[in-house]
Amino acid sequence: MARKKFAMLNGSLLHTAAFRDLKSCTDRNVYFTAHLSSQADYSGLFRCPLSLFASEAGIEITHLKIALARLKEAGLLEFEPESELLRIGGWFRSINRPDNLSRVQSHVQGYLSGELPQTDICRRSIAEFVLGCLARTQRFKAGSEHGPKIVDELRSFLATAGVNFRNLRPFLEDEFRLHGASLAREFEDVMLGLVEAEAKMQRAADRVQMQDASRVRSGCDQGASTVPPQEMRIDSNKTKKEKEGCEAVRLSDGNGNEAQSNANARPLPETLNSLLVRAIRATA
């Protein structure tokens, strides 16, 4: 997303409860600095390391963290330390929402560029973007093609974003409950794209499950397809022992005496040392 060369603030900001309740000048300074930051772009979501942010605001990092916590509670700013992403709350609910199809497409390319992590701060930005664009469509004249084209673009966007950013549905629904009272029909249209994305993920999960099941079946005996390979090996060892036992039975005679398996079998030591054999030796 391109860097901003200027900042636009809603003129009614001073009259909003969230901003009016900020009693600290430091908090207000941090909020304005976020809009004027050298890292700021047209999406209101950008990477801004704390060290750089503190330098631009002219305060220490310790004070910056305290101010960010208060601004997050007020719903004005959100910072994610792991990714160092900063999001200006309500960005797409006012004058910064896209006002034509090309601007919508530019934001879509930014979200789908692969540069953003799959984190909640990005999901909240996407939800606000979608609802903000839908609100903008209501300002077009009746019969205009601009509104339907934006809705189609958003539906296509969610079909991909729903896969790239898993678990996107609750964030969209939360944004709709808070700021989409008059957008029920448009919201239902664009959510068809998310339904398509969820169907893609389900089909992919089903394929993985079928492949796993196929691998298990391939390792089992065809006559007992539910028996794992380990158990089949155990059965093979057992069968081998049983065969050896049967072979031993076949090598014994009816009197329980072991028979010779071939003509070259040697007598047992017990036989050679028996009284009968020693008597024969003595008379020889």
Side-chain angles (χ1 to χ4, degrees):
M1 190 67 67
R3 295 284 183 265
K4 289 175 65 68
K5 297 181 180 180
F6 60 91
M8 292 191 299
L9 292 169
N10 194 336
S12 63
L13 177 65
L14 295 176
H15 306 291
T16 61
F19 188 82
R20 193 172 58 249
D21 290 341
L22 296 178
K23 305 303 181 182
S24 170
C25 292
T26 300
D27 296 350
R28 295 191 175 198
N29 170 40
V30 170
Y31 181 72
F32 287 133
T33 301
H35 285 78
L36 298 170
S37 174
S38 59
Q39 305 301 302
D41 59 20
Y42 293 95
S43 70
L45 175 70
F46 52 93
R47 183 176 179 276
C48 189
L50 281 180
S51 57
L52 175 60
F53 198 177
S55 176
E56 292 182 332
I59 60 176
E60 296 179 359
I61 291 182
T62 303
H63 297 157
L64 175 60
K65 290 181 178 180
I66 296 173
L68 285 173
R70 286 196 288 255
L71 289 166
K72 180 180 180 179
E73 185 177 356
L76 295 174
L77 280 184
E78 179 182 7
F79 182 77
E80 186 179 70
E82 293 78 10
S83 62
E84 296 185 322
L85 284 174
L86 180 69
R87 185 179 77 89
I88 301 176
W91 182 265
F92 291 112
R93 299 189 197 119
S94 59
I95 57 178
N96 291 298
R97 64 174 55 132
D99 54 5
N100 56 59
L101 179 60
S102 62
R103 293 288 300 277
V104 172
Q105 292 172 334
S106 177
H107 283 293
V108 165
Q109 292 175 1
Y111 285 119
L112 300 181
S113 65
E115 298 177 359
L116 294 176
Q118 296 186 19
T119 57
D120 289 350
I121 192 172
C122 296
R123 295 183 180 95
R124 274 187 282 272
S125 178
I126 291 174
E128 190 180 286
F129 164 69
V130 171
L131 270 295
C133 291
L134 292 180
R136 181 64 182 87
T137 61
Q138 294 189 333
R139 298 181 59 184
F140 293 114
K141 295 180 180 180
S144 171
E145 296 181 356
H146 297 294
K149 287 182 178 179
I150 290 177
V151 172
D152 289 342
E153 181 69 26
L154 293 174
R155 185 190 305 118
S156 177
F157 166 58
L158 288 183
T160 303
V163 177
N164 295 355
F165 299 89
R166 304 292 181 91
N167 198 32
L168 192 54
R169 178 181 289 273
F171 295 89
L172 287 161
E173 293 176 344
D174 287 346
E175 187 72 17
F176 173 72
R177 280 192 291 268
L178 292 173
H179 305 283
S182 61
L183 304 172
R185 181 175 60 82
E186 294 86 352
F187 184 72
E188 183 177 355
D189 286 343
V190 300
M191 287 295 281
L192 292 176
L194 187 62
V195 172
E196 180 181 343
E198 292 171 342
K200 290 179 183 177
M201 292 186 288
Q202 184 59 51
R203 288 196 296 270
D206 292 342
R207 283 196 297 270
V208 172
Q209 186 175 3
M210 291 177 62
Q211 290 172 356
D212 292 342
S214 177
R215 283 195 291 269
V216 171
R217 285 196 298 270
S218 65
C220 299
D221 183 79
Q222 294 181 355
S225 60
T226 59
V227 181
Q230 297 89 335
E231 296 184 13
M232 293 302 298
R233 286 196 294 270
I234 295 175
D235 290 344
S236 299
N237 294 334
K238 184 186 300 183
T239 303
K240 182 178 179 181
K241 292 180 179 179
E242 291 176 353
K243 289 181 179 179
E244 292 176 351
C246 294
E247 195 68 28
V249 170
R250 285 197 299 270
L251 292 176
S252 61
D253 57 20
N255 298 325
N257 299 321
E258 187 174 355
Q260 292 184 349
S261 59
N262 55 59
N264 297 324
R266 300 181 63 184
L268 296 176
E270 292 83 356
T271 303
L272 295 176
N273 296 322
S274 63
L275 295 176
L276 176 62
V277 172
R278 281 187 288 181
I280 293 174
R281 287 176 180 171
T283 58

